[in-house]
Amino acid sequence: MNIKNFDPYDFSKREIDGVPIYYKNLPSAPCIHIRIVFNTGTLDDPIGKDGLSHFFEHLIFKGCPTLPNEKSIREWKIINTLGTWNGVTGLDKTYYSLKCLPEKYEIVLSGMKDMIFNSYLKDEDIESERKVILQESWNYFKNEKSLKYHKEFAEKLFHGHIHEKTATGIGWPDNIEKITKNDIISRYKESYGIGNFFIILAGSVEEKHIELLKDFLKNLRKVNRPSRNSGILNKPKGKSFITTADEIGEIKETARISLYRVAEERPYLENEIRNISRILTSDLLIEKLRTEDKLCYFVSVNFWNEKEYSFTNLNVKAKESDIELVEKGVWNVLNKIYNGKYIDRFEVVKKMYIESLKASERLSHDIANDAIDEVLRYGKIITQKEEISEAEKVTYKNVVKFIKWAFDPEYVYTEI
């Protein structure tokens, strides 16, 4: 069934007991997707205790009054949530997610509330989960050499900013060892309450499902949203960071060159300029470095806009002997963009991008997850209509200005 002019990102908003509720009915969806999103992540953890938010997230799946142990929670998950009940901790957020059939919605809300707000936090659960989290952390960092490298990289690129204290939502392994039960209880009392979270519903959502949230929010404590002292964004320490595979405990047959820039947060009205710039730059680099010159097998260009900073990354993998040629090739393509050599290619890319927006198909799961980051970063959910309208306004001059800013040599940090 085709519903003309249907916009999957045109959410409604309501506030219940001080909690923002964003909801979207998707006519063809058989399930309701629920996201409970807390404005607390690893960047909010005390210095030396990064990973604390992630630690608490793990513990809500260990037991509460109505679901006293992991076994009962697993059974509840299978019976009521189609096996989807999960938690995620990032640098700036922690959220709990699931999908359920509409007839299971009320019982699902009850179980979520008990697990999130009445977790037992038993000593034995804390210690058993510490082992699991350490395994997760070492799976990411791999070994002591790699850990040292990640710490040095964060310190050089983000120095002066809160991000230099941690690389992921998991936290440094040595700091996970230091987290105590009192730390966990303190994080819970400070962050888990009305004033520091919002709710997203997408799918087979009706008015009655919004009304049932009143009971979910009843008798919850009120908290003040933690203020994050982000520090300042300085120029990177030095211009480059060169390491060998042996120095970071890896064996590689190829080399990687990456250009980074960390800067202030960008306004959401630049989203489409950023997206078209990314596609154009990536397309041109692949054509030049891979198709024409056969210098590499992998190219990626990404521009992330986080809540308190933006992040640019251009990544090329090639033979070690070709790294110098690759670096020259990258700057050659960028300079040609600045000099107006690719106006025709820009028009093709822009048209393709707008058509892809109009043709985009999103699952309820994707729509709900996309909404999380937009509420956190911009305080609103950007509709598909707004995206298309802003994309149509993008000019080649906009793209040149943005790419010059993103790859300003004064701020670019090169990693090899």
Side-chain angles (χ1 to χ4, degrees), residues 322-367:
D322 290 335
I323 284 295
E324 188 174 339
L325 290 173
V326 166
E327 189 169 14
K328 288 180 180 177
V330 167
W331 287 106
N332 183 46
V333 168
L334 292 177
N335 284 322
K336 284 185 176 180
I337 293 173
Y338 306 154
N339 293 327
K341 301 295 185 183
Y342 296 115
I343 293 176
D344 291 344
R345 180 65 66 84
F346 159 77
E347 294 296 343
V348 172
V349 166
K350 176 180 172 180
K351 182 180 178 183
M352 180 274 293
Y353 176 69
I354 292 172
E355 287 176 349
S356 70
L357 285 177
K358 293 177 179 178
S360 63
E361 298 177 359
R362 293 286 186 271
L363 298 173
S364 305
H365 171 275
D366 302 322
I367 292 167

Side-chain angles (χ1 to χ4, degrees), residues 262-276:
V262 177
E264 66 277 7
E265 178 188 0
R266 308 294 291 184
Y268 84 89
L269 289 174
E270 283 190 1
N271 279 354
E272 307 317 313
I273 296 173
R274 184 173 71 245
N275 290 336
I276 293 173

Side-chain angles (χ1 to χ4, degrees), residues 207-221:
E207 180 63 28
K208 63 183 179 182
H209 299 122
I210 311 304
E211 288 297 312
L212 285 169
L213 288 173
K214 292 178 180 179
D215 193 52
F216 178 86
L217 297 169
K218 190 181 298 182
N219 300 323
L220 294 183
R221 72 163 62 86

Side-chain angles (χ1 to χ4, degrees), residues 18-22 34-45 52-54 56-58 60-61 85-97 109 111-119 184 186-200 216-217 220-228 307 368-369 371-377:
V19 177
I21 314 295
Y22 301 85
I34 306 174
R35 306 291 185 264
I36 312 294
V37 188
F38 292 86
N39 294 284
T40 299
T42 309
L43 293 182
D44 301 293
D45 296 340
L52 178 55
S53 295
H54 179 246
F56 180 79
E57 175 237 303
H58 271 238
I60 75 146
F61 299 94
W85 174 228
N86 194 23
V88 175
T89 303
L91 294 171
D92 62 346
K93 62 182 174 292
T94 303
Y95 70 89
Y96 302 94
S97 66
L109 285 184
M112 291 176 79
K113 180 175 182 177
D114 206 21
M115 283 184 275
I116 294 173
F117 296 103
N118 298 307
S119 176
I184 293 166
S186 176
R187 162 59 71 232
Y188 165 63
K189 288 182 177 179
E190 290 171 359
S191 304
Y192 276 61
I194 290 175
N196 196 43
F197 75 96
F198 60 90
I199 297 173
I200 290 173
F216 178 86
L217 297 169
L220 294 183
R221 72 163 62 86
K222 287 183 168 60
V223 301
N224 294 317
R225 183 171 179 175
S227 58
R228 184 182 299 158
K307 176 59 182 170
N369 284 352
I372 291 173
D373 288 331
E374 293 193 352
V375 172
L376 285 169
R377 291 169 194 167

Side-chain angles (χ1 to χ4, degrees), residues 65-164:
T66 58
L67 297 161
N69 51 50
E70 284 185 271
K71 182 179 178 181
S72 60
I73 289 175
R74 282 198 304 271
E75 290 176 351
W76 179 90
K77 172 180 176 178
I78 292 167
I79 294 169
N80 298 298
T81 77
L82 305 166
T84 62
W85 174 228
N86 194 23
V88 175
T89 303
L91 294 171
D92 62 346
K93 62 182 174 292
T94 303
Y95 70 89
Y96 302 94
S97 66
L98 58 76
K99 69 177 180 179
C100 66
L101 294 169
E103 58 264 31
K104 298 291 182 94
Y105 177 79
E106 191 167 2
I107 192 170
V108 157
L109 285 184
S110 177
M112 291 176 79
K113 180 175 182 177
D114 206 21
M115 283 184 275
I116 294 173
F117 296 103
N118 298 307
S119 176
Y120 279 147
L121 305 179
K122 293 179 179 178
D123 291 341
E124 58 266 33
D125 290 337
I126 291 172
E127 293 313 312
S128 68
E129 214 55 29
R130 189 191 308 275
K131 295 175 183 177
V132 172
I133 294 167
L134 282 169
Q135 289 174 359
E136 186 179 353
S137 181
W138 280 117
N139 183 59
Y140 181 86
F141 294 112
K142 302 189 188 315
N143 53 58
E144 291 287 353
K145 287 182 177 181
S146 178
L147 176 63
K148 180 175 180 290
Y149 157 77
H150 278 92
K151 287 186 174 183
E152 287 182 13
F153 180 75
E155 196 273 333
K156 288 176 182 290
L157 190 59
F158 289 97
H159 77 100
H161 189 267
I162 193 172
H163 200 337
E164 73 175 298

Side-chain angles (χ1 to χ4, degrees), residues 403-415:
I403 295 175
K404 278 186 174 181
W405 170 85
F407 297 107
D408 183 341
E410 284 292 308
Y411 293 90
V412 166
Y413 185 71
T414 304
E415 180 197 23

Side-chain angles (χ1 to χ4, degrees), residues 396-409:
Y396 189 75
K397 186 181 289 188
N398 296 146
V399 167
V400 170
K401 182 179 179 182
F402 179 81
I403 295 175
K404 278 186 174 181
W405 170 85
F407 297 107
D408 183 341

